[in-house]
Amino acid sequence: MSDPLVSANGIDVAYGDLQVLWDVSVEITDEDRVVALVGPNGAGKTTLLKALSGLRPLAGGSIELFGADAAALRPDQIVERGFVHVPEARNLFTEMTVEENLEMGAYTKRAEQAATMAEVFELFPVLDERRTQRAGTLSGGEQQMLAIGRGLMAKPDVLALDELSVGLAPQFVDRVFEKVAAISEDITVLLTEQHVHEALELADRGYVLENGRIVAEDDADALLESDRVQDAYLSG
Ligand SMILES: Nc1ncnc2c1ncn2[C@@H]1O[C@H](COP(=O)(O)OP(=O)(O)O)[C@@H](O)[C@H]1O
Ligand SMILES: [Mg+2]
């Protein structure tokens, strides 16, 4: 077994008095290509990604990132070490161009900016065509690709993608998932999704989070076939 790239070890997270994650343990190794974190709205998926990114403090447990205790790291240091989180809200700079948004993503890896941008444009030709267009004028699918591209500019070892498919038309969902498959050839991807079937088809491994607790973890194929996932997410 290889050393984990990322591990959350029994973490608790609260917003004020409201505890929303309970004893959550998740491990990602460099043998993983795509790990899916699935569960209903409000389960705590985004909160877990925020904790891993250093954006939410822990009320209990610990997080290790690339061999270091994450408690000692600032969010920008977590990015620099290689854990990059593309947030659900995308947080694009809508008045800035595609190219400028990508430049912002490279703030920890300036020296490699031009080469990385060329790779991003190769992966997303639509962004290359629109490099001088303002981000706010892109379609939803294009904005999602830009958000992913901006994440890639930080040259992550682990790319966490929160609810990629939210608000996208079905044909865009397929296209974005195809891009994720391509990215995962080089970079380990941690994916949260409410499209449980699609996410588990893409993933090698998955975790099911319900009410702030991990209730199942397994190979993605096994999870897809499991009664828990079939009954809760895939019936009807
Ligand atoms: N900023 C916040 N303040 C208070 N409660 C929050 C905040 N963000 C999320 N929550 C609560 O935490 C729980 C988990 O939310 P979240 O992590 O966004 O779930 P998911 O991403 O799985 O939909 C929910 O009950 C949500 O209402
Ligand atoms: Mg969420």
Side-chain angles (χ1 to χ4, degrees):
M1 235 206 80
S2 50
D3 285 341
L5 301 172
V6 173
S7 63
N9 311 308
I11 67 169
D12 301 323
V13 175
Y15 294 98
D17 291 337
L18 176 72
Q19 185 167 348
V20 301
L21 292 183
W22 307 78
D23 195 25
V24 167
S25 294
V26 166
E27 187 169 284
I28 302 169
T29 76
D30 61 9
E31 283 165 22
D32 292 313
R33 289 163 48 115
V34 179
V35 176
L37 177 65
V38 300
N41 209 356
K45 302 180 298 295
T46 296
T47 301
L48 175 54
L49 295 191
K50 286 182 176 168
L52 292 171
S53 309
L55 300 174
R56 289 300 313 172
L58 303 186
S62 65
I63 292 173
E64 241 183 81
L65 292 171
F66 313 107
D69 181 356
L73 301 173
R74 294 188 312 266
D76 61 301
Q77 294 173 317
I78 289 173
V79 170
E80 189 171 11
R81 275 172 182 258
F83 183 87
V84 173
H85 167 194
V86 176
E88 181 171 2
R90 297 178 196 147
N91 298 348
L92 295 171
F93 302 98
T94 54
E95 296 302 319
M96 291 170 51
T97 66
V98 165
E99 203 163 36
E100 288 163 347
N101 271 274
L102 292 175
E103 285 167 5
M104 298 298 284
Y107 71 104
T108 59
K109 300 283 159 73
R110 279 294 167 224
E112 293 144 286
Q113 177 174 308
T116 314
M117 198 179 298
E119 288 171 18
V120 168
F121 285 146
E122 198 172 317
L123 179 67
F124 297 119
V126 66
L127 296 181
D128 193 2
E129 289 160 18
R130 289 157 201 273
R131 56 168 84 197
T132 61
Q133 190 171 322
R134 280 187 300 120
T137 65
L138 299 173
S139 74
E142 289 160 358
Q143 289 193 14
Q144 190 56 276
M145 296 197 192
L146 179 55
I148 298 170
R150 191 178 55 182
L152 291 171
M153 292 299 293
K155 302 199 65 75
D157 294 311
V158 177
L159 183 66
L161 301 172
D162 198 7
E163 302 279 359
L164 272 184
S165 60
V166 157
L168 297 186
Q171 71 269 26
F172 279 121
V173 175
D174 292 346
R175 279 178 50 199
V176 171
F177 273 58
E178 278 168 26
K179 298 297 184 185
V180 173
I183 290 166
S184 71
E185 288 175 20
D186 303 316
I187 296 170
T188 299
V189 175
L190 172 63
L191 201 67
T192 81
E193 265 298 330
Q194 290 180 52
H195 283 82
V196 170
H197 190 266
E198 288 84 346
L200 289 176
E201 288 218 306
L202 186 64
D204 327 288
R205 265 181 344 104
Y207 293 87
V208 182
L209 189 64
E210 290 178 4
N211 296 318
R213 291 186 163 85
I214 301 286
V215 296
E217 60 177 287
D218 209 334
D219 290 341
D221 297 343
L223 274 183
L224 257 180
E225 298 304 320
S226 68
D227 288 346
R228 180 183 288 278
V229 167
Q230 286 286 334
D231 295 348
Y233 303 105
L234 303 176
S235 55

